[in-house]
Amino acid sequence: MLAAVPFINRNAYALGPAGRTYSKRAIDLIRETIVIDMLGPLKIEMGREFYAAPLSEKDAAEFLSSGITGFHHAVGLGGPNARESALSYFAIWGNFVARNTHVFSAVGRVADLVRAKREGKCAVIMGLQNAEHFFQRSDVKMFYDIGQRCAQLTYNSQNRIGSGSTERVDGGISDFGADIIAAMNEVGMLIDVSHSGDRTTLDAIAISPKPIAITHSNCRALVDHPRVKTDEAIRALAAKGGVMGITGVRNFVTPKDPTTIANVVDHIDHVVKLVGIDHVGIGTDADLNGYDDTSPAMQTRLRAAYKESYAFREKIDVDGFDHPKKMFDLTEELIRRRYSDANIKAVLGGNFQRLLAATWGG
């Protein structure tokens, strides 16, 4: 598909109606890489009008031309009905993928990502941004068997496993949580601590014999926010072979405006300087068009669902990282910073592909 784009000027090509141009090097890097967004919900405003209807031609075209092969589709579910909500979620979205096989394919192992790339499709990694649906150890295998491949241990609040990032007190991983971590390792489900509190994050890394992930967070050395990670946590993650995905949520990137794609790459730079190129990837924490394009009603619900410590600003998305071709823009910024082709491919998906292979098998 990318090979047919119109020529604009030497080594610059237009992709899509927005008139954005990208270098041949950036286009080739995206074409050659299994690009993985380790927190890329298919749609933020997930109403029935989206998941129950046939995928529109516009949506299909945006997915297929995004350059992204793997979307980790995960939301935060919890509360007393967490198990029922999780079962409904996997049924709805598994059915959605099955009804739109001209665009999507399901993921069980890394080979499914490789096949999706070869076929020009978008592979959907099913996960949840909480683990409250695991009432007992055996639930981990049950949910694995119906397709779940990644689970965040906690969302922002306390659960039976550990503490979330916005809790006043972080008690770390509980005995029950340690048992769930063991069960996840046994079945091959990726452990994620993106929303976990500082002590819970460090505990999970230490307790798990296998590497884990921070699928979507940023660096507290650059922005003081409870939802981002300390250098101590990043070093511990890397020492065990884990990978951290950098997000484009505005208030996790800088404390004030302007906030651009260059600021997002500052966080990539920080992780690379701290622990090396092998431990950083992308987890945008947004769908292809971002949060700011959602309805006013959705904006109101979204902002009301979080504590004041989240410190949302007028805009939630990052300038230049808020459209379906954002991975091309990210690639261009990495090129501008003189990253090698091999290192750009590692950031775009190679590092997470390696971690997923170690977790799930080839």
Side-chain angles (χ1 to χ4, degrees):
M1 185 181 297
L2 297 180
V5 297
F7 184 78
I8 299 298
N9 55 45
R10 186 176 183 180
N11 292 327
Y13 298 79
L15 292 179
R20 290 182 172 86
T21 62
Y22 301 103
S23 67
K24 182 179 184 300
R25 183 181 172 194
I27 293 170
D28 286 346
L29 283 165
I30 294 285
R31 183 191 290 118
E32 296 165 4
T33 305
I34 295 177
V35 179
I36 300 174
D37 185 345
M38 271 308 290
L39 204 288
L42 299 182
K43 201 75 168 178
I44 293 170
E45 202 156 1
M46 295 180 185
R48 181 179 175 83
E49 65 278 3
F50 178 77
Y51 66 72
L55 192 69
S56 72
E57 290 186 10
K58 176 180 180 294
D59 284 331
E62 287 185 349
F63 279 111
L64 292 173
S65 64
S66 69
I68 302 171
T69 303
F71 291 82
H72 175 209
H73 178 66
V75 298
L77 297 175
N81 297 318
R83 183 184 175 89
E84 291 76 12
S85 296
L87 289 169
S88 176
Y89 168 84
F90 288 119
I92 287 169
W93 290 102
N95 180 267
F96 175 82
V97 170
R99 286 186 292 103
N100 292 286
T101 54
H102 61 301
V103 175
F104 301 114
S105 61
V107 173
R109 300 174 75 83
V110 166
D112 297 320
L113 287 164
V114 176
R115 184 176 65 253
K117 179 70 175 181
R118 183 174 63 246
E119 296 176 351
K121 293 183 179 181
C122 298
V124 181
I125 302 164
M126 294 300 293
L128 280 174
Q129 293 191 62
N130 206 341
E132 286 195 74
H133 58 302
F134 298 153
F135 286 4
Q136 54 194 2
R137 182 191 178 104
S138 60
D139 286 339
V140 174
K141 185 177 188 307
M142 190 273 284
F143 277 95
Y144 179 90
D145 287 344
I146 65 172
Q148 184 174 3
R149 288 298 179 268
C150 181
Q152 203 166 257
L153 296 181
T154 71
Y155 201 55
N156 292 322
S157 301
Q158 182 73 39
N159 65 19
R160 293 175 63 205
I161 291 171
S163 301
S165 62
T166 60
E167 284 288 354
R168 184 178 62 85
V169 176
D170 184 351
I173 295 291
S174 66
D175 290 347
F176 175 74
D179 206 30
I180 293 298
I181 288 171
M184 291 177 70
N185 274 290
E186 286 172 9
V187 303
M189 186 183 294
L190 184 65
I191 295 165
D192 180 12
V193 289
S194 296
H195 282 250
S196 298
D198 291 345
R199 180 178 172 187
T200 296
T201 295
L202 290 169
D203 277 0
I205 295 167
I207 290 168
S208 176
K210 296 181 181 179
I212 71 171
I214 298 169
T215 62
H216 59 296
S217 188
N218 286 346
C219 308
R220 200 171 301 168
L222 302 184
V223 58
D224 186 15
H225 195 288
R227 244 286 278 126
V228 302
K229 299 302 182 183
T230 63
D231 282 359
E232 182 184 11
I234 298 167
R235 288 192 185 99
L237 180 86
K240 294 285 283 281
V243 180
M244 176 177 178
I246 299 302
T247 173
V249 174
R250 198 178 193 92
N251 43 313
F252 305 160
V253 176
T254 63
K256 60 183 179 180
D257 292 331
T259 304
T260 70
I261 197 166
N263 300 116
V264 174
V265 179
D266 287 343
H267 288 266
I268 295 174
D269 282 350
H270 182 78
V271 177
V272 171
K273 291 171 184 174
L274 189 68
V275 296
I277 192 67
D278 294 335
H279 304 287
V280 65
I282 306 299
T284 64
D285 201 3
D287 66 16
L288 290 179
N289 289 287
Y291 293 90
D292 295 330
D293 285 352
T294 58
S295 68
M298 179 66 191
Q299 286 277 327
T300 298
R301 291 197 303 272
L302 174 73
R303 292 170 185 270
Y306 294 89
K307 296 179 181 179
E308 290 185 6
S309 59
Y310 252 60
F312 285 120
R313 304 205 293 275
E314 181 180 357
K315 291 182 69 176
I316 297 177
D317 300 323
V318 165
D319 301 339
F321 203 53
D322 54 355
H323 59 87
K325 299 290 194 302
K326 56 191 169 186
M327 288 299 188
F328 291 89
D329 292 83
L330 180 76
T331 302
E332 294 286 16
E333 181 63 24
L334 291 168
I335 290 171
R336 279 192 288 272
R337 299 199 187 196
R338 301 186 182 278
Y339 279 71
S340 68
D341 285 2
N343 286 350
I344 292 172
K345 289 180 178 181
V347 173
L348 290 176
N351 290 333
F352 270 125
Q353 184 178 348
R354 182 189 68 249
L355 176 63
L356 294 175
T359 306
W360 303 338

